[in-house]
Amino acid sequence: MAEIQSYTMNFGPQHPAAHGVLRLVLEMEGEVIQKADPHIGLLHRATEKLAESKPFNQSIGYMDRLDYVSMMANEHGYVLAIEKLLGVEVPIRAQYIRVMFDEITRILNHLMWLGAHGLDIGAMTMFLYCFREREDLMDCYEAVSGTRMHATYYRPGGVYRDLPESMPKYQESKFRSKKEVDRLNEAREGSLLDFIEAFTDKFPACVDEYETLLTDNRIWKQRTVNIAVVSPERAMQLGFSGPMIRGSGIAWDLRKKQPYEVYDQMDFDIPIGVNGDCYDRYLVRVEELRQSNRIIKQCIEWLRANPGPVIADDHKLVPPSRVEMKDDMESLIHHFKLFTEGYSVPVGEAYAAVEHPKGEFGVYIVSDGANKPYRVKIRAPGFAHLSAMSEMVEGHMLADVVAVIGTQDIVFGEVDR
Amino acid sequence: MSERYETLAARIEERFDEQVERVDSICGELTYEVNKSALRDVAMALRDEATFGFEVLIDVCGVDYLSYGSDEWTTDSATGTGFSRGVSRREVILDEADTFDPRRFAVVYHLLSVNNNTRLRLRCFTGEDNPPIVPSLVDVWSAADWFEREAFDLYGILFDGHPDLRRILTDYGFIGHPFRKDFPLYGNVEVSYDTDKGRVAYQPVSIEPRTLVPRVIRDDNRYSEDLKDTGNG
């Protein structure tokens, strides 16, 4: 029999299953992986250093571009850290809006993950199904911020503007018939809240569809059950958070344990796994889709009943309205100072973390009292997860690497920053 | 600060005595400055002793305090020379000295206890050494591995005892430590395709650095503690 020699294999950085620009150097013993050495940084943009060179508010847009499939959750972490330093109170309505959009973002992220993870290990249909629902949520982003992805919607002190009373509509074109446009616009006749409500009504059935395709699917189970098992002890050692730590059976969720905004008012459950393998993490994330839907429903109900301001009434921090500005000298000064210089933040340091769809997304800001942060450190959940790659794939087959990349829900925007 | 954190603070101070020093916080967070020599012992105890139980290392990051508290804005003299009026760009200081200001580089650790639901921040200054060095905590928390590599890459802080201290985020063959405050924002080199050589080549950066918004420090008395409780300040 021929002797099998160990050899080194290069995976990526241009590989469709690498979810971006991941280069893996794999030490193989035949088909079996001995060691994996991820090379990251191909998407490094020095976001933290750029943020240190700009006034606080100008970096909110950079946060969207970190984890570019869960944009508002990134903004939330950054904005929370600034608010913690400033000690500002966020109006209650803004808190509900933030919670609602955090959960919309969670669904957006998990749908992207489910589709891509499915595609990677052989369930092509998932990708199409997931993107069908993502489209509606992107429209929510567009309605509220004007952009489908990089929203820059959260601001220190609240959110940029209140929820709109009308939804953008599709228009007839040579690519879209009147009939189709009418079908697409059916849910868009009312306000944004009506649109989101219609979505939450139909979404549980969509999740059932995904589960029909995957949960009891023999191939899906063969590819995920008992792959990359992580014990609870190791999960903590490796700094896991979010679905990765919950998949290993630890009921740790910042929304419950260290609630921010109005999460303590919300009624939802935390799903946890048993075995800590890829299949359990899949189940956890799918259940999170349902729980997020529940939270969104509760927010809609509250937001309908309680109008009010959505951003703090502090013009040292928040620009005055255009009307005020043209009428009132002091408002004009505030406006000018805010947009030329920004606001100064008291001396100190703060770490604020949110339960990002991928795990704990934290922002650590050191301020020396200037209008720019002295140091911004972004704690990206994916960074800690990816560092456990070698441990997770050891002893598995080459094809399982793809399953592990999928289960970690890696997005390079946040890993490389 | 909540009672839970005060209890934790009391326990830490009792257990570690002079090894740690508490840092005041403006937003109710617990921060300790740890002596470099005691760092490993403190970390081990914080992880293993049930009263602390910090099983999770959330984050490790380097901080460069070189230009802490300095601004770029002079308002005592005005000129009419346009946009850059008043901006005093700081000269880049090169770190050619054998020793650093002992409080220049720090490594900041964020810890989390899942069982006790508490957070803790440790800060360890690297001292005068050039290159700066602190003991590695990889064998205390496995998560420290990549975070320490990142701090090494971006700040040039060495971690004594790290099994594989390589660059992680910057390009293969990168020179310098880009997040240091004496490293220019635009970098030192740029790449372009060289038609003569027939390949991509490095050359010194050609961009002029600009300050779009100068860094200013304002003492805003709205945030002073004395005024906070009076309501309308």
Side-chain angles (χ1 to χ4, degrees):
Chain A
M1 208 175 99
E3 204 174 298
I4 298 170
Q5 282 190 333
S6 79
Y7 56 92
T8 313
M9 207 183 93
N10 187 55
F11 177 103
Q14 302 294 336
H15 189 288
H19 288 209
V21 280
L22 169 65
R23 180 180 170 209
L24 278 171
V25 179
L26 302 167
E27 268 176 43
M28 312 281 296
E29 187 86 35
E31 268 282 285
V32 179
I33 293 155
Q34 301 293 314
K35 198 171 158 270
D37 179 20
H39 287 208
I40 62 163
L42 290 107
L43 200 60
H44 181 56
R45 293 143 294 165
T47 303
E48 294 158 4
K49 184 143 181 141
L50 284 170
E52 286 160 23
S53 73
K54 288 185 166 50
F56 283 90
N57 268 16
Q58 288 185 18
S59 304
I60 301 172
Y62 282 127
M63 299 300 138
D64 290 315
R65 286 149 181 85
L66 288 171
D67 181 354
Y68 44 75
V69 294
S70 34
M71 295 68 73
M72 286 199 199
N74 304 337
E75 290 171 20
H76 202 169
Y78 180 67
V79 164
L80 269 186
I82 298 172
E83 281 163 1
K84 210 167 173 183
L85 278 170
L86 287 168
V88 291
E89 284 280 320
V90 178
I92 185 85
R93 187 174 164 85
Q95 296 189 22
Y96 271 93
I97 292 177
R98 282 183 183 180
V99 166
M100 185 172 80
F101 269 94
D102 271 15
E103 296 309 316
I104 287 178
T105 307
R106 196 177 313 278
I107 296 181
L108 263 177
N109 177 78
H110 282 6
L111 285 180
M112 174 77 198
W113 161 79
L114 187 60
H117 190 26
L119 188 64
D120 286 350
I121 52 181
M124 171 113 199
T125 323
M126 285 316 300
F127 199 69
L128 305 172
Y129 275 36
C130 292
F131 270 65
R132 186 186 58 190
E133 270 75 60
R134 272 193 107 217
E135 197 63 24
D136 285 346
L137 297 173
M138 290 284 194
D139 288 345
C140 300
Y141 263 53
E142 186 182 352
V144 88
S145 71
T147 52
R148 286 160 55 83
M149 288 185 80
H150 303 305
T152 329
Y153 180 56
Y154 294 6
R155 301 290 161 93
V159 293
Y160 175 62
R161 64 172 184 186
D162 206 345
L163 304 172
E165 282 305 313
S166 65
M167 280 295 291
K169 292 190 183 64
Y170 282 99
Q171 268 153 22
E172 219 180 308
S173 70
K174 58 181 171 182
F175 305 107
R176 277 213 176 89
S177 66
K178 171 96 171 57
K179 204 175 138 203
E180 206 197 337
V181 167
D182 286 346
R183 185 184 61 81
L184 287 168
N185 283 342
E186 205 185 313
R188 287 162 216 268
E189 296 304 328
S191 67
L192 173 65
L193 279 177
D194 295 332
F195 181 75
I196 300 176
E197 191 166 31
F199 178 84
T200 56
D201 288 338
K202 72 164 188 188
F203 188 61
C206 300
V207 182
D208 291 342
E209 267 178 25
Y210 312 146
E211 286 217 77
T212 321
L213 282 172
L214 295 180
T215 306
D216 292 320
N217 182 323
R218 186 165 51 89
I219 303 170
W220 181 257
K221 279 189 155 179
Q222 280 169 349
R223 293 301 308 270
T224 53
V225 173
N226 277 333
I227 301 295
V229 178
V230 183
S231 69
E233 295 74 35
R234 284 309 292 167
M236 289 197 284
Q237 262 285 315
L238 292 165
F240 281 12
S241 50
M244 294 292 285
I245 201 170
R246 291 195 285 276
S248 296
I250 299 170
W252 177 259
D253 189 316
L254 292 178
R255 293 174 294 169
K256 281 270 191 226
K257 303 284 178 178
Q258 297 175 1
Y260 47 97
E261 311 296 9
V262 286
Y263 273 114
D264 47 350
Q265 314 280 320
M266 296 291 156
D267 179 27
F268 64 103
D269 299 321
I270 301 298
I272 58 167
V274 181
N275 304 318
D277 57 6
C278 289
Y279 187 67
D280 278 17
R281 287 187 283 268
Y282 154 75
L283 292 177
V284 165
R285 288 195 175 103
V286 168
E287 184 55 32
E288 281 184 22
L289 286 174
R290 297 183 193 278
Q291 296 301 330
S292 293
N293 202 53
R294 254 174 91 187
I295 300 175
I296 296 174
K297 271 181 186 273
Q298 294 166 44
C299 290
I300 294 172
E301 200 181 314
W302 191 94
L303 285 166
R304 277 194 201 287
N306 298 279
V310 293
I311 195 155
D313 182 29
D314 178 357
H315 292 320
K316 301 280 182 211
L317 184 66
V318 173
S321 73
R322 301 291 296 180
V323 180
E324 265 180 277
M325 189 190 102
K326 294 189 173 173
D327 217 38
D328 175 24
M329 189 64 209
E330 200 177 343
S331 293
L332 183 67
I333 296 168
H334 280 142
H335 189 275
F336 178 75
K337 283 308 267 183
L338 268 172
F339 284 97
T340 52
E341 184 181 294
Y343 47 85
S344 290
V345 164
V347 181
E349 52 188 349
Y351 176 82
V354 291
E355 186 68 30
H356 186 274
K358 291 185 169 55
E360 175 171 332
F361 180 90
V363 176
Y364 170 56
I365 294 182
V366 180
S367 166
D368 58 351
N371 58 341
K372 304 175 182 183
Y374 185 74
R375 167 83 167 115
V376 179
K377 163 74 202 211
I378 295 148
R379 193 271 176 192
F383 188 80
H385 295 158
L386 191 61
S387 72
M389 172 62 91
S390 187
E391 195 174 316
M392 286 174 81
V393 296
E394 227 173 70
H396 284 301
M397 304 291 232
L398 176 61
D400 297 327
V401 172
V402 177
V404 175
I405 295 172
T407 198
Q408 287 186 341
D409 198 1
I410 294 296
V411 163
F412 276 86
E414 58 154 13
V415 174
D416 291 347
R417 280 158 291 148
Chain B
M1 187 176 294
S2 71
E3 208 173 296
R4 203 150 44 97
Y5 276 96
E6 284 305 333
T7 323
L8 176 64
R11 281 188 186 141
I12 288 174
E13 273 145 45
E14 189 195 323
R15 168 71 177 77
F16 299 113
D17 198 26
E18 285 184 357
Q19 290 171 311
V20 296
E21 193 184 330
R22 178 140 171 204
V23 182
D24 288 335
S25 167
I26 55 166
C27 47
E29 294 175 334
L30 200 55
T31 311
Y32 281 95
E33 232 164 67
V34 187
N35 231 322
K36 193 163 115 178
S37 54
L39 180 68
R40 280 187 57 83
D41 295 338
V42 171
M44 281 284 190
L46 286 174
R47 184 194 68 178
D48 292 333
E49 288 171 21
T51 42
F52 309 124
F54 289 100
E55 319 89 336
V56 184
L57 177 72
I58 284 291
D59 187 40
V60 178
C61 71
V63 184
D64 178 2
Y65 284 97
L66 180 67
S67 59
Y68 187 82
S70 65
D71 55 14
E72 304 170 312
W73 185 245
T74 44
T75 44
D76 49 349
S77 66
T79 61
T81 51
F83 174 74
S84 62
R85 180 166 61 100
V87 177
S88 59
R89 175 169 284 280
R90 303 225 140 230
E91 285 293 306
V92 171
I93 309 153
L94 290 174
D95 51 351
E96 280 166 343
D98 294 335
T99 57
F100 287 133
D101 179 342
R103 292 183 73 82
R104 175 168 171 194
F105 288 105
V107 181
V108 179
Y109 302 86
H110 285 92
L111 308 180
L112 169 75
S113 168
V114 167
N115 286 329
N116 304 333
N117 195 7
T118 44
R119 286 182 189 275
L120 180 68
R121 181 186 299 130
L122 298 178
R123 186 175 17 239
C124 178
F125 281 96
T126 59
E128 292 186 330
D129 301 326
N130 184 6
I133 184 164
V134 289
S136 167
L137 298 183
V138 174
D139 51 343
V140 187
W141 292 285
S142 308
D145 185 349
W146 274 27
F147 287 123
E148 287 181 354
R149 276 178 69 187
E150 185 193 320
F152 161 69
D153 190 0
L154 302 179
Y155 286 94
I157 299 168
L158 300 180
F159 290 87
D160 189 16
H162 191 289
D164 187 19
L165 201 62
R166 283 176 293 152
R167 284 184 182 274
I168 186 164
L169 287 176
T170 51
D171 198 2
Y172 303 114
F174 190 88
I175 299 166
H177 299 289
F179 276 31
R180 287 189 177 184
K181 290 287 178 182
D182 53 14
F183 192 95
L185 181 67
Y186 289 92
N188 293 321
V189 286
E190 64 185 25
V191 284
S192 61
Y193 183 76
D194 190 322
T195 40
D196 296 336
K197 290 179 188 150
R199 63 176 170 85
V200 172
Y202 281 89
Q203 62 188 57
V205 72
S206 59
I207 311 167
E208 279 282 312
R210 287 191 300 168
T211 302
L212 293 178
V213 180
R215 186 182 179 83
V216 292
I217 294 181
R218 305 237 181 254
D219 288 322
D220 196 334
N221 62 12
R222 286 180 308 139
Y223 304 117
S224 78
E225 281 303 316
D226 314 332
L227 294 171
K228 243 182 188 166
D229 296 328
T230 58
N232 51 14

